[in-house]
Amino acid sequence: MMKNLDYFMSYEMSELSALANKYGTDKGTNNSSDHGYMTIYDLVLSPLRNSPISFVEIGVFHGKSILAWREYFSHAKIYGIDISKDSLNKINGIDNVFPIQANQENREQLLSFAEEHGPFDVIIDDGGHSNKQQQISFACLFPYVASGGIYIIEDLDGFYDVNDQYIQEEDDDSFLMLYSLGMNKCLGDTAYHMKKEEVEYIENNLYSVGLYSGTSSELTTSSGMYMPRSAISAHKTIQWTSVIRKI
């Protein structure tokens, strides 16, 4: 169960934030450019901390967040998915961590992985961040999230190109898709990269959606949503993450 919003607003340094800072992942609060997502994740994920969960993170990069997750979830089986062999080599040989090479917008590769290793208690998409990548990964993997499990999509406002330069999206399909899903239990008109049956499965198996800015302290609730009050007008200027819970 999520802790109340007063707790969230008064919590200065969660244990997950401390681990993120220890390992240097941008989910922490070491630098002004860091996202600060771990404070939110600590509230959501702490009930699972001592359980033997199955955990997936898409987007390994330097492996820093994988190390933080491994220390936090000491009993978990952790899968790190990346298209890059160099990134996967950074987590190769770590106990209870399993590197998986896959392209997150390749349905066949994602489904092959999920069918072999699922179901999963937590999936975090910190991959390429394009709308297409986010939507295809969500469509393919959400059916393999365990009942009551959590699917997280990070950095909804842009993506990285081949030179690791952060690119602002011209449209905000994934953000608006999740906003619609949370408010109306409907993915809306911006789920361009999903099949009809994928859309129906998500809508029929959704418990709740939360959209969060790691740097925002003012939250409001509506129809299961947790959002900063100026969400729609300001969402292009701040970093967003989402927490999607399955029934």
Side-chain angles (χ1 to χ4, degrees), residues 13-22 27-29 36-39:
M13 175 66 73
S14 72
E15 189 164 358
L16 259 178
S17 290
L19 287 174
N21 293 345
K22 172 183 175 180
K27 292 177 173 62
T29 57
Y37 295 154
M38 286 298 208
T39 297

Side-chain angles (χ1 to χ4, degrees), residues 70-90:
R70 180 179 175 275
E71 184 167 339
Y72 188 76
F73 292 114
S74 58
H75 303 291
K77 181 180 289 186
I78 297 175
Y79 299 95
I81 297 178
D82 207 289
I83 195 171
S84 167
K85 288 184 178 180
D86 290 339
S87 292
L88 295 173
N89 285 338
K90 291 177 170 54

Side-chain angles (χ1 to χ4, degrees), residues 25-184:
T25 170
D26 64 4
K27 292 177 173 62
T29 57
N30 268 340
N31 303 305
S32 59
S33 60
D34 287 350
H35 304 323
Y37 295 154
M38 286 298 208
T39 297
I40 299 161
Y41 297 162
D42 188 70
L43 305 183
V44 176
L45 299 177
S46 58
L48 302 174
R49 181 168 187 184
N50 296 313
S51 300
I53 65 169
S54 185
F55 181 101
V56 178
E57 182 164 48
I58 302 171
V60 172
F61 199 29
H62 294 304
K64 295 175 180 179
S65 60
I66 290 286
L67 293 174
W69 294 125
R70 180 179 175 275
E71 184 167 339
Y72 188 76
F73 292 114
S74 58
H75 303 291
K77 181 180 289 186
I78 297 175
Y79 299 95
I81 297 178
D82 207 289
I83 195 171
S84 167
K85 288 184 178 180
D86 290 339
S87 292
L88 295 173
N89 285 338
K90 291 177 170 54
I91 62 171
N92 194 31
I94 301 174
D95 289 345
N96 298 323
V97 173
F98 303 90
I100 304 291
Q101 187 172 24
N103 181 340
Q104 74 168 122
E105 61 181 67
N106 185 308
R107 282 182 165 84
E108 183 178 344
Q109 291 179 9
L110 291 177
L111 292 173
S112 176
F113 160 73
E115 289 168 3
E116 181 177 355
H117 299 288
F120 310 106
D121 300 286
V122 179
I123 298 177
I124 296 182
D125 180 356
D126 188 18
H129 307 305
S130 74
N131 290 319
K132 183 177 182 180
Q133 290 168 323
Q134 290 168 341
Q135 292 187 22
I136 290 177
S137 296
F138 184 31
C140 289
L141 296 179
F142 192 66
Y144 294 90
V145 173
S147 178
I150 293 168
Y151 194 102
I152 291 170
I153 306 176
E154 292 188 352
D155 298 346
L156 290 165
D157 61 347
F159 66 98
Y160 289 92
D161 67 12
V162 293
N163 297 313
D164 289 331
Q165 297 298 309
Y166 195 69
I167 306 298
Q168 184 76 38
E169 289 276 27
E170 292 183 0
D171 50 24
D172 298 290
D173 295 346
S174 294
F175 179 95
L176 295 174
M177 175 190 76
L178 292 175
Y179 180 81
S180 176
L181 186 62
M183 294 299 289
N184 306 311

Side-chain angles (χ1 to χ4, degrees), residues 172-202:
D172 298 290
D173 295 346
S174 294
F175 179 95
L176 295 174
M177 175 190 76
L178 292 175
Y179 180 81
S180 176
L181 186 62
M183 294 299 289
N184 306 311
K185 306 298 183 184
C186 171
L187 284 167
D189 298 328
T190 59
Y192 300 121
H193 305 289
M194 293 186 180
K195 301 175 182 179
K196 179 181 178 181
E197 60 269 23
E198 294 170 339
V199 169
E200 291 175 349
Y201 181 89
I202 291 170

